Amino acid sequence: MKYFIFSTILGKLANILKIEKMKQLIALFLGFISIISIHAQSDWELKKEEDGIKVYLRDVEGSKIQEYKAEAILKGKVSSYIAVMKDVNSYPELYEHCKEVKLISENDTFHVHYMATDTPWPVKDRDAVYSSTYSQHYDTKLVRIDMKIEDGYKEPNDDYVRMEKATGFWLFYQIEPNKVEVTYQMHAEPGGSIPTWVVNMFLVDTPIEDMKKLQERAQLEKYANRHFDFLVE
């Protein structure tokens, strides 16, 4: 999947031009991209694997908090997973530490929501307003959900520490009729003072639980056979 976009574009050029040298160039180009990708991914360190879900961590320049990435092959169809992700009001059943959620605005490919996150005592709970943007690659059918913290939608609440920054994404790719390759990547600045052991607990264990709950919810009947205008399967 990682090189499908490159091979698709260059493969079409080769077929159109019908030049043998172009085909050789494709092989050289993909080899070069593979080397670059391997080098780029080398800073990820596998921290835990459970039930087929792998969680990696890596350092982020200028931050004390590491970035995490979870990968897994889950059962179901991409459309069911998108239906789960768009059901914002059910996030307390999806995200492991979601304490409170409220949908602020939405359309077919974008939504904004407020979410409060539960943290272990004595650390104060966190909250933030997030936006999610949905898109699908035309050729590969890969679906991406980009997430980030937004300012200006809701005033800070004294009961919570407002999150300073968070960016991440979900990737969903149908590899077989009932198998979806899922990637969940995120980096966040929790704000305030928070012990390292609390951060580490969230970074490794939470994405595993989120992946498990995501798969469970995607099997529910209410998320089956859903249709979205932007989504082609």
Side-chain angles (χ1 to χ4, degrees):
M1 185 182 72
K2 296 181 185 298
Y3 315 120
F4 189 78
I5 298 173
F6 299 106
S7 61
T8 299
I9 295 173
L10 292 178
K12 286 181 179 179
L13 285 174
N15 289 333
I16 293 172
L17 298 176
K18 296 182 180 179
I19 299 176
E20 187 63 31
K21 289 185 178 180
M22 176 61 78
K23 294 180 180 179
Q24 295 174 1
L25 178 61
I26 291 172
L28 290 172
F29 181 75
L30 291 178
F32 178 68
I33 291 296
S34 298
I35 294 172
I36 293 176
S37 178
I38 291 171
H39 177 74
Q41 295 295 321
S42 64
D43 53 355
W44 285 108
E45 182 180 355
L46 178 63
K47 286 294 185 179
K48 189 171 184 177
E49 181 173 0
E50 182 176 312
D51 295 336
I53 303 168
K54 297 180 180 180
V55 176
Y56 302 82
L57 298 181
R58 70 176 176 184
D59 294 333
V60 175
E61 185 176 356
S63 175
K64 296 180 180 179
I65 309 299
Q66 290 183 302
E67 183 176 22
Y68 68 74
K69 176 176 68 172
E71 296 179 333
I73 305 296
L74 305 181
K75 296 185 296 183
K77 294 182 179 263
V78 168
S79 57
S80 295
Y81 284 96
I82 298 307
V84 173
M85 299 303 299
K86 289 180 71 64
D87 187 7
V88 174
N89 291 325
S90 73
Y91 278 9
E93 286 76 48
L94 172 61
Y95 288 110
E96 176 73 1
H97 297 283
C98 179
K99 179 178 180 180
E100 177 187 353
V101 68
K102 182 179 180 180
L103 180 64
I104 296 175
S105 65
E106 68 172 335
N107 59 40
D108 198 38
T109 58
F110 180 79
H111 65 74
V112 177
H113 68 277
Y114 168 82
M115 187 164 74
T117 303
D118 183 35
T119 54
W121 184 90
V123 178
K124 199 170 186 178
D125 294 341
R126 264 56 181 173
D127 74 344
V129 174
Y130 300 85
S131 67
S132 296
T133 303
Y134 296 70
S135 61
Q136 183 178 37
H137 189 272
Y138 179 80
D139 288 322
T140 66
K141 305 299 187 291
L142 174 73
V143 177
R144 179 180 176 115
I145 306 173
D146 286 288
M147 304 172 293
K148 64 178 181 177
I149 281 181
E150 299 284 355
D151 295 325
Y153 283 91
K154 189 177 179 64
E155 292 296 322
N157 186 330
D158 291 339
D159 293 334
Y160 302 102
V161 173
R162 180 58 52 93
M163 294 271 288
E164 296 177 355
K165 180 181 179 182
T167 56
F169 58 82
W170 286 91
L171 299 178
F172 300 92
Y173 181 65
Q174 196 82 49
I175 58 174
E176 292 183 15
N178 196 43
K179 288 186 179 180
V180 179
E181 182 176 294
V182 181
T183 300
Y184 175 28
Q185 188 168 321
M186 178 69 71
H187 175 255
E189 296 290 348
S193 177
I194 186 168
T196 303
W197 68 269
V198 174
V199 176
N200 289 338
M201 180 189 69
F202 273 79
L203 293 183
V204 177
D205 294 331
T206 299
I208 289 179
E209 295 305 316
D210 290 345
M211 281 276 200
K212 290 180 181 179
K213 291 182 178 181
L214 176 63
Q215 180 171 235
E216 289 175 2
R217 297 195 63 76
Q219 311 310 308
L220 298 178
E221 185 176 351
K222 69 176 182 177
Y223 298 122
N225 302 316
R226 294 290 298 277
H227 171 75
F228 302 98
D229 289 341
F230 78 93
L231 182 62
V232 178
E233 293 190 278

